[in-house]
Amino acid sequence: MVWSCQDTHKTETARDTNSVNEHMKDSLRVFDFGGLKPFLNRRDDTVYVVNFWATWCAPCVKELPAFEKLRENYKSEKVEVLLVSLDFPRQYETKLKPFIKEQQLQSEILVLNDVDANSWIPQINPNWSGAIPATLIYNKDKRMFYEQTFTYNELQTELNKFLKK
């Protein structure tokens, strides 16, 4: 499986995210797919917005502010934004950690380090080609997968389909 970056544009327990990211400035939470899987299958009253991205993917980097804005604007509701980095292990120290710090990312960040992409990609979504950015939005009742880039308004529109208003 070769990771690609596409620029298509279409219309554990509760915790304090800030304290998680304060701790992460010096360390990354790196998982294989088995370790990441629980974050993709929570069954509580929260809506999870899980974005798969990498620092080397220009469309991914371009859309990150939309996810950060979503996290900020919905922090009083049961919405959690999770950014899953697919950066290469050799770039954790030189690219990923400095990027997180420079961009002052506040969303929870996990790193997926699992070379068997052909095994785990279809477990996330059987139709996923493996291109990023890609986003999974889910709650205990519904799952939607998007292999596309998002503007803030598009992201908000999709999120609102999960929120009971």
Side-chain angles (χ1 to χ4, degrees):
M1 167 50 82
V2 176
W3 286 110
S4 67
C5 181
Q6 68 175 10
D7 189 5
T8 59
H9 185 77
K10 302 175 188 172
T11 299
E12 86 233 330
T13 57
R15 65 197 151 311
D16 181 335
T17 302
N18 288 332
S19 66
V20 169
N21 286 337
E22 285 301 316
H23 173 70
M24 280 181 36
K25 287 181 181 174
D26 296 321
S27 64
L28 294 172
R29 296 176 67 199
V30 182
F31 297 91
D32 63 8
F33 185 68
L36 179 68
K37 202 170 182 178
F39 293 92
L40 307 177
N41 296 291
R42 294 177 176 159
R43 305 286 297 160
D44 55 26
D45 291 331
T46 300
V47 177
Y48 295 93
V49 180
V50 184
N51 179 251
F52 295 88
W53 68 288
T55 59
W56 47 262
C57 168
C60 299
V61 170
K62 183 179 178 185
E63 74 174 0
L64 281 176
F67 287 91
E68 287 290 281
K69 183 176 178 182
L70 192 80
R71 182 203 62 80
E72 180 64 26
N73 290 345
Y74 287 85
K75 66 183 177 185
S76 64
E77 298 189 43
K78 290 186 175 191
V79 173
E80 185 174 324
V81 175
L82 180 63
L83 303 176
V84 179
S85 169
L86 299 175
D87 279 271
F88 304 113
R90 68 182 183 277
Q91 296 179 327
Y92 293 170
E93 296 297 323
T94 59
K95 297 215 185 231
L96 182 57
K97 282 183 180 181
F99 180 85
I100 292 167
K101 195 171 195 174
E102 289 164 12
Q103 298 299 314
Q104 299 178 357
L105 298 178
Q106 296 299 308
S107 297
E108 184 175 1
I109 299 169
L110 302 178
V111 180
L112 177 57
N113 180 14
D114 192 321
V115 296
D116 193 11
N118 288 329
S119 168
W120 60 260
I121 284 174
Q123 291 184 60
I124 294 172
N125 185 279
N127 298 317
W128 186 13
S129 73
I132 55 174
T135 303
L136 170 67
I137 303 176
Y138 78 94
N139 62 17
K140 65 183 177 183
D141 300 317
K142 182 177 178 180
R143 295 176 82 80
M144 296 287 293
F145 183 79
Y146 309 86
E147 190 170 342
Q148 67 178 71
T149 56
F150 277 106
T151 64
Y152 175 75
N153 288 339
E154 291 167 339
L155 194 54
Q156 185 178 41
T157 296
E158 293 307 312
L159 175 64
N160 283 333
K161 293 176 183 177
F162 288 80
L163 298 173
K164 294 178 171 70
K165 296 276 182 186

